Amino acid sequence: VATIKPWHIQVYHEVVKNYPGEWHLISEPKELSVAKIETLRPKYIFFPHWSHIVPDEILNLSDCICFHETDLPYGRGGSPVQNLIANGHRKTAITALRMIPQLDAGPVYMKRSLSLEGLAEEIFIRSAHIVADMIKVIITENPEPEDQVGEPTFFRRRTSEQSRVPAGISDLMELFDHIRMLDADGYPKAFFDIGPFRYEISRPALRTDAIYADIRITKKKE
């Protein structure tokens, strides 16, 4: 299992490594090398939330499987959870697919539903347990992946500047969605600037007529 996110690392230690077989965890990009994979010779390499390009040489050594939080071929590309919420989706599917050189274009092993309610990190923790169940099915049933069906659509990876609270937001729910979809470890928080200060917003709680949240105030970088 190759992953860089704490929620997947925790589920690996609590659940996945207890599955049948010999398991290894790679949690740093520099650890994923052709030499290491040639030594381990794994049947599968699972990539939940990896976010780094995997060299073709490694794709050719084992069945490499990633997990994308859209109902592929809809929403290929970066920042799927954030792009889905920004487009008004309340639920999605996690797609397990074989990795090929073309991003998110490989054949599909299976799909599982995923709620998009809650803060981003809550969604990712929820998805980590679903991914663990998908891994168990794959190693026990050895399904053959099937080609994606339909016309693909694409998401662009979001930039840190897109975390800025848009000036045109006038609805509390829309603002709440903007804040919550960015509230996860390793993601740039929703923010706005006043004078020399930056206000970063986290842990939002939506009430009938207000949003309660934590604010972190720093001096803007030059």
Side-chain angles (χ1 to χ4, degrees):
V1 175
T3 183
I4 59 172
K5 293 300 184 182
W7 42 85
H8 284 292
I9 293 172
Q10 181 177 346
V11 171
Y12 169 84
H13 287 297
E14 292 178 352
V15 180
V16 175
K17 75 174 185 179
N18 297 315
Y19 290 162
E22 182 180 342
W23 291 89
H24 299 268
L25 175 66
I26 294 175
S27 57
E28 295 287 344
K30 63 184 179 182
E31 297 175 2
L32 185 70
S33 66
V34 172
K36 185 179 185 72
I37 300 306
E38 285 180 334
T39 299
L40 295 175
R41 301 188 62 82
K43 177 175 176 58
Y44 295 114
I45 309 175
F46 297 102
F47 289 87
H49 219 137
W50 183 243
S51 303
H52 297 275
I53 297 297
V54 178
D56 290 352
E57 296 92 331
I58 291 179
L59 298 181
N60 293 329
L61 287 174
S62 300
D63 287 344
C64 295
I65 300 173
C66 67
F67 301 86
H68 191 73
E69 290 112 341
T70 70
D71 188 1
L72 291 173
Y74 175 77
R76 294 180 184 175
S79 310
V81 167
Q82 287 74 27
N83 278 303
L84 286 166
I85 293 175
N87 282 294
H89 294 274
R90 313 308 292 189
K91 61 182 180 180
T92 184
I94 301 176
T95 302
L97 67 150
R98 178 179 288 166
M99 297 166 68
I100 62 175
Q102 293 75 35
L103 186 65
D104 301 326
V108 172
Y109 288 89
M110 67 185 69
K111 298 180 180 182
R112 294 289 186 270
S113 61
L114 173 67
S115 169
L116 293 173
E117 302 296 337
L119 307 185
E121 189 149 336
E122 293 172 334
I123 297 169
F124 291 137
I125 291 170
R126 189 182 306 134
S127 72
H129 288 277
I130 296 171
V131 165
D133 290 338
M134 298 170 84
I135 290 174
K136 186 175 183 179
V137 172
I138 292 171
I139 66 168
T140 55
E141 298 184 9
N142 296 297
E144 284 296 322
E146 299 181 357
D147 290 342
Q148 296 183 27
V149 177
E151 189 69 23
T153 61
F154 299 89
F155 288 154
R156 290 176 178 263
R157 184 173 298 280
R158 291 176 61 90
T159 66
S160 58
E161 179 60 27
Q162 287 178 286
S163 293
R164 182 185 298 275
V165 175
I169 286 185
S170 59
D171 179 76
L172 272 180
M173 178 60 78
E174 186 179 357
L175 177 58
F176 176 66
D177 282 344
H178 180 81
I179 298 169
R180 75 181 180 89
M181 75 183 189
L182 299 165
D183 197 8
D185 180 68
Y187 286 80
K189 298 288 190 289
F191 73 91
F192 60 91
D193 295 330
I194 298 178
F197 299 106
R198 172 153 296 182
Y199 297 74
E200 294 179 327
I201 316 168
S202 62
R203 300 179 65 188
L206 180 65
R207 299 294 184 257
T208 302
D209 59 353
I211 296 171
Y212 293 84
D214 291 346
I215 301 289
R216 178 176 179 263
I217 306 173
T218 57
K219 288 286 294 286
K220 286 192 298 186
K221 296 179 180 179
E222 297 296 333

